[in-house]
Amino acid sequence: DLVPPTVRAGLLGGALTFSQTITSLTLLMGLAVFVMYVILAILYESYLHPITVLSSLPVALVGGLLTLYLLGQEASLYAFVGMFMLMGIVKKNGIMIVDFALQRVASGMPAEEAIHRASLNRFRPIMMTTLAAIAGAIPIAMGYGADGTSRQPLGTVIVGGLVVSQFITLYITPVIYL
């Protein structure tokens, strides 16, 4: 009621560029998940096992974004880079479990026992790589170094996403596999 109809609002300059970048990165992230699915489908010669591997990605990304929100940080370009890194690390964990289980099933072991053994035998390597990634990302998340505060969202997304996904992935991947 107070603003005349000739007044228009819109993004300009850096805000417009950032908005377009975020839109492009979101599209790129969806395309990356599709390419991962296709490559895993070729690798496993199955349409279902890639879904098992990729099932932990949404949990990890929500965990990373939730950590950003809880710590009051913004979803910057660095946060998107962190989400791409997070997708790769979490996907690797799923591949380790599913690969091991598929090898056991191919040798004649029942699927329930194969995924159980895979989860137990791959627990240590998964935890080692996850803890190494978290230990490497903690200084970034704390903002150490020159201009460290601008890179804080990168470390925050990685640490938060890995912590959340680790607790859930070790339970969800075997269930979805079965």
Side-chain angles (χ1 to χ4, degrees), residues 1 3-4 12-13 39 49 52 56-57 62 70 75 92 94 112 119-120 131-132 138 145 148 154 172 176:
D1 292 340
V3 179
L12 294 174
I39 291 172
H49 292 307
T52 305
S56 54
L57 289 182
V62 167
L70 291 176
K92 174 211 47 84
E112 292 85 5
S119 297
L120 292 176
L131 291 175
I138 284 177
L154 174 106
I172 287 182
I176 293 176

Side-chain angles (χ1 to χ4, degrees), residues 86 88-94 96 122-138 158-167 169-170:
L86 183 62
I89 295 169
V90 171
K91 179 183 56 98
K92 174 211 47 84
N93 293 344
M96 288 175 71
R122 293 290 158 215
F123 179 76
R124 186 179 62 83
I126 288 171
M127 289 306 293
M128 286 173 56
T129 56
T130 300
L131 291 175
I134 289 173
I138 284 177
I158 293 171
V159 171
L162 284 175
V163 168
V164 170
S165 74
Q166 207 54 36
F167 286 117
T169 301
L170 293 173

Side-chain angles (χ1 to χ4, degrees), residues 6-7 12 45 47 54 57 65 68 74 82 91 101 113 117 142 147 155 177:
T6 58
V7 174
L12 294 174
E45 297 177 356
Y47 295 115
L54 298 176
L57 289 182
L65 291 173
L68 277 178
E74 59 187 30
K91 179 183 56 98
E113 185 179 347
R117 283 198 183 172
M142 301 210 37
D147 196 29
Y177 177 83

